[in-house]
Amino acid sequence: TQVLRKSLQRGVVLSTGSFLVYEAHKLISGFAEVHASFKVEDVIEQADYLYGSGETEKLYRLLVQHKNSDDAELLWRLARSSRDLAQLGSTSAEEKRQLTYDSLEYAKKALEKNESNSAAHKWYGICLSDVGDYEGIKTKIGNSIIIKEHFQRAIELNPKDATTIHLIGIWCYSFAEMPWYQRKIAATLFATPPTSTFQEALRYFHMAEEADPNFYSKNLLFLGKTYLKLNNKKMALLWLTKAKEYPAQTEEDKQV
């Protein structure tokens, strides 16, 4: 299906074996419970199926049962799932805050269990950035170098991960358009404040597209936005048109 294909493009490894389909169907139908005795591989297969199907709440309920796991693959998926649940419109402000902080703890634990796990670095960077939304612009800027370092480490471990390459592009774009008062804050936090340019951001957005063409509506959008910042309206029109025509499968796609 298109949903499963899109999840594969975003870097989620899915199994198409009959066991996965059968077990996931039982889970979705409410006929199966996940017990501690289940193999980690089985839970991960079920989790990836639910993620590809957009079953955010069911995925969280599956994974949160394993929050005390020592397996980094389970823990980074739980961090992602907690964050996804926090993003839902039906999630209250109090729950959103708690889930945001929980997701960072799960990602941190995943890194402690396996420092060589690319996805754990990626989701730690994402979740650390989210926590900054609650702790103010000073904390967010102060964490920015750490966030970028984790994204870069994720790419070193998995050079084909287009999503992480895109995230570094977003980091560059954000610093390139940073307003003067935020630059002043950055200057008080760092001897050499982090900076970037729209040209650098553009390079990463193109690298992401080369790694996995048409993988993400937001990457197309930011290619267009960055070309606008560089006053190249012809190229901006090209990429913004691609973003507009992207088949909307998620709420984010619709917003794009």
Side-chain angles (χ1 to χ4, degrees):
T1 65
Q2 286 186 331
V3 173
L4 289 177
R5 181 175 177 273
K6 186 170 184 180
S7 295
L8 279 166
Q9 290 176 329
R10 302 266 177 103
V12 178
V13 179
L14 300 178
S15 168
T16 56
S18 59
F19 173 80
L20 165 61
V21 176
Y22 174 65
E23 288 296 328
H25 175 72
K26 287 200 300 179
L27 180 67
I28 294 170
S29 302
F31 292 118
E33 293 182 359
V34 178
H35 299 283
S37 59
F38 270 35
K39 293 181 180 179
V40 169
E41 293 81 1
D42 297 344
V43 179
I44 289 174
E45 284 187 325
Q46 292 175 348
D48 288 349
Y49 183 90
L50 290 172
Y51 181 75
S53 302
E55 296 283 357
T56 304
E57 295 179 6
K58 290 178 182 177
L59 174 59
Y60 175 78
R61 289 199 298 270
L62 166 68
L63 290 175
V64 77
Q65 298 177 73
H66 304 278
K67 64 182 181 181
N68 295 319
S69 171
D70 289 331
D71 190 278
E73 290 292 327
L74 277 177
L75 290 167
W76 75 252
R77 284 172 171 81
L78 177 55
R80 179 184 65 184
S81 174
S82 302
R83 182 181 186 273
D84 286 348
L85 188 59
Q87 302 297 316
L88 293 181
S90 57
T91 302
S92 69
E94 183 178 348
E95 290 173 325
K96 179 180 174 70
R97 180 186 175 92
Q98 185 61 54
L99 285 165
T100 299
Y101 278 90
D102 286 348
S103 67
L104 179 60
E105 285 304 309
Y106 299 140
K108 181 180 179 181
K109 188 176 178 183
L111 275 179
E112 290 171 353
K113 299 302 178 184
N114 186 358
E115 199 278 335
S116 296
N117 189 297
S118 172
H121 282 282
K122 173 169 71 175
W123 287 99
Y124 183 81
I126 292 171
C127 295
L128 183 60
S129 178
D130 288 345
V131 166
D133 292 339
Y134 290 99
E135 299 190 352
I137 190 64
K138 188 172 182 179
T139 297
K140 201 169 182 72
I141 295 175
N143 287 335
S144 61
I145 295 296
I146 300 171
I147 292 167
K148 188 178 183 183
E149 287 174 349
H150 281 283
F151 288 159
Q152 289 174 326
R153 179 59 176 151
I155 292 174
E156 288 174 7
L157 293 166
N158 183 9
K160 297 295 185 181
D161 185 359
T163 306
T164 307
I165 299 171
H166 164 83
L167 289 170
I168 294 186
I170 294 291
W171 189 98
C172 295
Y173 186 98
S174 298
F175 273 94
E177 72 165 1
M178 180 179 282
W180 67 268
Y181 67 91
Q182 291 185 8
R183 292 186 187 279
K184 193 170 183 179
I185 294 172
T188 67
L189 297 174
F190 302 98
T192 305
T195 60
S196 189
T197 64
F198 291 116
Q199 288 88 348
E200 187 178 12
L202 186 69
R203 181 169 65 87
Y204 279 107
F205 294 140
H206 273 298
M207 285 172 58
E209 207 62 30
E210 289 167 8
D212 192 356
N214 211 42
F215 76 106
Y216 190 20
S217 60
K218 198 170 182 181
N219 198 61
L220 303 176
L221 174 66
F222 269 87
L223 276 162
K225 290 179 67 172
T226 308
Y227 272 116
L228 275 179
K229 292 287 188 179
L230 295 170
N231 294 315
N232 189 333
K233 293 184 179 181
K234 181 178 179 180
M235 292 300 293
L237 178 61
L238 171 67
W239 289 103
L240 292 175
T241 300
K242 287 178 181 287
K244 182 173 182 288
E245 294 175 350
Y246 192 90
Q249 297 172 345
T250 68
E251 186 60 35
E252 187 177 47
D253 291 336
K254 294 173 184 176
Q255 291 172 1
V256 165

